[in-house]
Amino acid sequence: MSKKIEIFDPAMCCSTGVCGPSVNVELLRVATVINSLANKGIMITRFGLSSEPQAFVDNTIINQLLMEEGVEILPVTMLDGEVVKTKEYPSNMEFAQYLDIKVEELEKNDKPKSCCCSEGCC
């Protein structure tokens, strides 16, 4: 049986948060990892507070966390219905552990091929 990972994101300007005048490198890493995993047939579901608020209401665990801790608890990562991480996104090592795969499968894909500037900063 495959593992089910769900990420409940804070309110962002778009579904990945990788937009706007200054790109958040951590959000770019997470989006790249999730895309890489999707290409391998491993699906991770993300819910955005601003775009899919009903998912936060419908999930009793997430709803309770928000009532007790507020939006500062986000992002929240759930593995098979259990909260495994709050307040920050999983590292590549944590994604690998959750999915029982080698971290090398993620690390070779976590750097973007191009970036928003010509300085090679990414």
Side-chain angles (χ1 to χ4, degrees), residues 16-32:
T16 62
V18 183
C19 53
S22 60
V23 174
N24 181 317
V25 177
E26 180 66 354
L27 287 173
L28 182 60
R29 179 190 65 81
V30 170
T32 302

Side-chain angles (χ1 to χ4, degrees), residues 30-85:
V30 170
T32 302
V33 166
I34 290 172
N35 188 52
S36 173
L37 290 169
N39 289 337
K40 297 176 193 317
I42 301 169
M43 300 309 297
I44 295 177
T45 307
R46 290 178 80 178
F47 301 100
L49 183 57
S50 51
S51 58
E52 299 160 291
Q54 194 62 45
F56 291 73
V57 173
D58 292 344
N59 185 306
T60 55
I61 295 169
I62 297 298
N63 192 331
Q64 183 176 354
L65 280 173
L66 286 171
M67 296 298 263
E68 293 172 1
E69 306 279 338
V71 294
E72 295 78 25
I73 196 79
L74 301 174
V76 173
T77 302
M78 297 184 78
L79 174 64
D80 295 332
E82 299 287 327
V83 174
V84 291
K85 185 137 187 165

